[in-house]
Structures are given as C-alpha cells and as structure tokens.
C-alpha cells in the first residue's frame, strides 16, 4: 500500500510539473528600415541654377 501511495504521489507531482505543456517562445522579428534618399539630394537644384547663371554671365 505504501508503494502504491508513493507511486501515486510521484505520478501526481510529475504531471503537475508538465501540466502546462511546452510552448515555443515567441520571438519578434527585427525590422530594419533603410534610408533610400541621399544626403545631397537638395544640392542639385542650387548647383544647376548656379551653372545656368554662370553660363549666362559668360555668354554676355
């Protein structure tokens, strides 16, 4: 009877330990955003205006 009670107690302890089951951890994905613009994007229009003014002054 003692062995039966001991086996029941160990069985109960073992099932209580694994009662929740295994759940795989959730890992959030890492999102990497790339900047598609260039740092000199605002430089082209003033440079073009400067070249046009320089060419107009040189032809006069």
């Amino acid at each position: 009877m003692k062995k039966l009670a001991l086996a029941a107690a160990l069985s109960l302890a073992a099932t209580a330990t694994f009662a929740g089951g295994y759940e795989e951890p959730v890992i959030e994905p890492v999102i990497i955003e790339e900047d598609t613009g260039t740092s000199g994007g605002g430089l082209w229009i003033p440079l073009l205006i400067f070249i046009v003014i320089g060419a107009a002054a040189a032809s006069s």
Side-chain angles (χ1 to χ4, degrees):
M1 188 70 172
K2 286 183 183 180
K3 289 184 181 181
L4 183 61
L6 182 61
L10 289 176
S11 175
L12 181 63
T15 56
T17 304
F18 299 110
Y22 177 73
E23 187 172 325
E24 195 168 332
V26 177
I27 300 173
E28 296 291 329
V30 178
I31 300 173
I32 300 173
E33 294 183 18
E34 293 185 20
D35 188 21
T36 56
T38 59
S39 60
L43 185 65
W44 288 107
I45 294 176
L47 185 62
L48 185 60
I49 292 172
F50 181 72
I51 290 173
V52 169
I53 292 173
S59 67
S60 298

